[in-house]
Short mmCIF file of all heavy atoms in Angstrom, two decimals:
data_model
loop_
_atom_site.label_atom_id
_atom_site.label_comp_id
_atom_site.label_asym_id
_atom_site.label_seq_id
_atom_site.Cartn_x
_atom_site.Cartn_y
_atom_site.Cartn_z
N LEU C 98 -7.05 2.22 12.38
CA LEU C 98 -6.00 3.16 12.84
C LEU C 98 -4.72 2.42 13.13
O LEU C 98 -3.65 2.86 12.72
CB LEU C 98 -6.51 3.91 14.06
CG LEU C 98 -5.56 4.99 14.60
CD1 LEU C 98 -5.31 6.10 13.57
CD2 LEU C 98 -6.13 5.59 15.87
N PHE C 99 -4.82 1.31 13.79
CA PHE C 99 -3.59 0.52 14.08
C PHE C 99 -2.85 0.12 12.86
O PHE C 99 -1.65 0.35 12.73
CB PHE C 99 -3.95 -0.72 14.94
CG PHE C 99 -2.78 -1.61 15.16
CD1 PHE C 99 -1.79 -1.28 16.06
CD2 PHE C 99 -2.67 -2.80 14.47
CE1 PHE C 99 -0.71 -2.10 16.29
CE2 PHE C 99 -1.58 -3.65 14.68
CZ PHE C 99 -0.61 -3.27 15.59
N PHE C 100 -3.55 -0.53 11.91
CA PHE C 100 -2.85 -1.03 10.74
C PHE C 100 -2.37 0.11 9.83
O PHE C 100 -1.27 -0.02 9.25
CB PHE C 100 -3.72 -2.02 9.99
CG PHE C 100 -3.73 -3.39 10.62
CD1 PHE C 100 -4.85 -3.84 11.30
CD2 PHE C 100 -2.61 -4.19 10.59
CE1 PHE C 100 -4.86 -5.10 11.88
CE2 PHE C 100 -2.58 -5.42 11.22
CZ PHE C 100 -3.73 -5.86 11.85
N SER C 101 -3.16 1.13 9.69
CA SER C 101 -2.70 2.22 8.81
C SER C 101 -1.50 2.95 9.40
O SER C 101 -0.57 3.29 8.67
CB SER C 101 -3.83 3.24 8.56
OG SER C 101 -4.29 3.83 9.74
N THR C 102 -1.47 3.21 10.70
CA THR C 102 -0.31 3.83 11.31
C THR C 102 0.93 2.94 11.31
O THR C 102 2.01 3.39 11.04
CB THR C 102 -0.62 4.33 12.75
OG1 THR C 102 -1.11 3.23 13.51
CG2 THR C 102 -1.63 5.43 12.72
N MET C 103 0.70 1.67 11.59
CA MET C 103 1.82 0.74 11.62
C MET C 103 2.45 0.59 10.23
O MET C 103 3.66 0.66 10.07
CB MET C 103 1.36 -0.63 12.15
CG MET C 103 2.49 -1.65 12.22
SD MET C 103 1.91 -3.29 12.65
CE MET C 103 0.81 -3.66 11.33
N LEU C 104 1.60 0.42 9.22
CA LEU C 104 2.10 0.26 7.84
C LEU C 104 2.74 1.55 7.32
O LEU C 104 3.72 1.51 6.59
CB LEU C 104 0.99 -0.26 6.94
CG LEU C 104 0.55 -1.64 7.22
CD1 LEU C 104 -0.68 -2.03 6.37
CD2 LEU C 104 1.68 -2.66 6.96
N TYR C 105 2.14 2.69 7.68
CA TYR C 105 2.77 3.96 7.28
C TYR C 105 4.14 4.13 7.86
O TYR C 105 5.08 4.51 7.14
CB TYR C 105 1.86 5.14 7.70
CG TYR C 105 2.38 6.45 7.27
CD1 TYR C 105 2.07 7.02 6.06
CD2 TYR C 105 3.26 7.20 8.11
CE1 TYR C 105 2.57 8.27 5.66
CE2 TYR C 105 3.76 8.43 7.72
CZ TYR C 105 3.44 8.95 6.47
OH TYR C 105 3.96 10.14 6.12
N ALA C 106 4.26 3.83 9.16
CA ALA C 106 5.58 3.97 9.80
C ALA C 106 6.60 3.00 9.17
O ALA C 106 7.77 3.34 8.99
CB ALA C 106 5.44 3.73 11.29
N ARG C 107 6.15 1.84 8.84
CA ARG C 107 7.01 0.82 8.25
C ARG C 107 7.43 1.25 6.83
O ARG C 107 8.59 1.16 6.44
CB ARG C 107 6.37 -0.53 8.20
CG ARG C 107 7.35 -1.64 7.77
CD ARG C 107 6.66 -2.96 7.73
NE ARG C 107 6.26 -3.15 6.34
CZ ARG C 107 5.56 -4.13 5.92
NH1 ARG C 107 5.09 -5.04 6.73
NH2 ARG C 107 5.26 -4.27 4.62
N ASN C 108 6.46 1.74 6.05
CA ASN C 108 6.75 2.06 4.65
C ASN C 108 7.54 3.34 4.48
O ASN C 108 8.15 3.56 3.44
CB ASN C 108 5.45 2.18 3.85
CG ASN C 108 4.81 0.85 3.62
OD1 ASN C 108 5.43 -0.21 3.79
ND2 ASN C 108 3.54 0.84 3.26
N THR C 109 7.54 4.20 5.51
CA THR C 109 8.28 5.45 5.40
C THR C 109 9.59 5.40 6.16
O THR C 109 10.25 6.42 6.35
CB THR C 109 7.43 6.63 5.87
OG1 THR C 109 7.05 6.40 7.26
CG2 THR C 109 6.23 6.85 5.04
N ALA C 110 9.99 4.23 6.61
CA ALA C 110 11.26 4.08 7.36
C ALA C 110 12.43 4.50 6.46
O ALA C 110 12.45 4.21 5.25
CB ALA C 110 11.43 2.64 7.83
N PRO C 111 13.40 5.15 7.05
CA PRO C 111 14.58 5.53 6.25
C PRO C 111 15.27 4.36 5.55
O PRO C 111 15.81 4.52 4.46
CB PRO C 111 15.50 6.20 7.27
CG PRO C 111 14.62 6.62 8.37
CD PRO C 111 13.51 5.60 8.41
N SER C 112 15.24 3.21 6.18
CA SER C 112 15.89 2.03 5.59
C SER C 112 15.14 1.54 4.34
O SER C 112 15.70 0.81 3.55
CB SER C 112 16.00 0.92 6.60
OG SER C 112 14.67 0.51 7.01
N ARG C 113 13.89 1.94 4.17
CA ARG C 113 13.09 1.49 3.04
C ARG C 113 13.08 2.55 1.88
O ARG C 113 12.50 2.25 0.83
CB ARG C 113 11.66 1.21 3.45
CG ARG C 113 11.54 0.00 4.35
CD ARG C 113 10.12 -0.34 4.49
NE ARG C 113 9.98 -1.52 5.35
CZ ARG C 113 9.85 -2.73 4.88
NH1 ARG C 113 9.86 -2.99 3.60
NH2 ARG C 113 9.74 -3.77 5.71
N GLN C 114 13.69 3.68 2.10
CA GLN C 114 13.71 4.69 1.07
C GLN C 114 14.69 4.34 -0.02
O GLN C 114 15.74 3.74 0.21
CB GLN C 114 14.07 6.07 1.68
CG GLN C 114 13.18 6.53 2.79
CD GLN C 114 11.73 6.59 2.33
OE1 GLN C 114 11.46 7.13 1.29
NE2 GLN C 114 10.84 6.11 3.16
N GLN C 115 14.33 4.67 -1.27
CA GLN C 115 15.18 4.38 -2.40
C GLN C 115 16.45 5.26 -2.31
O GLN C 115 16.37 6.46 -2.06
CB GLN C 115 14.46 4.71 -3.71
CG GLN C 115 13.28 3.80 -3.98
CD GLN C 115 13.66 2.46 -4.46
OE1 GLN C 115 14.79 2.29 -4.96
NE2 GLN C 115 12.82 1.49 -4.26
N LYS C 116 17.58 4.61 -2.53
CA LYS C 116 18.84 5.37 -2.50
C LYS C 116 19.12 5.83 -3.93
O LYS C 116 19.12 5.08 -4.88
CB LYS C 116 19.96 4.50 -1.97
CG LYS C 116 19.74 4.13 -0.52
CD LYS C 116 20.91 3.44 0.03
CE LYS C 116 20.57 3.21 1.50
NZ LYS C 116 21.37 2.33 2.19
#
Side-chain angles (χ1 to χ4, degrees):
L98 184 60
F99 173 74
F100 281 108
S101 62
T102 54
M103 181 186 60
L104 292 173
Y105 181 90
R107 189 182 96 186
N108 289 345
T109 58
S112 62
R113 293 191 178 264
Q114 303 301 316
Q115 294 284 338
K116 295 187 178 167

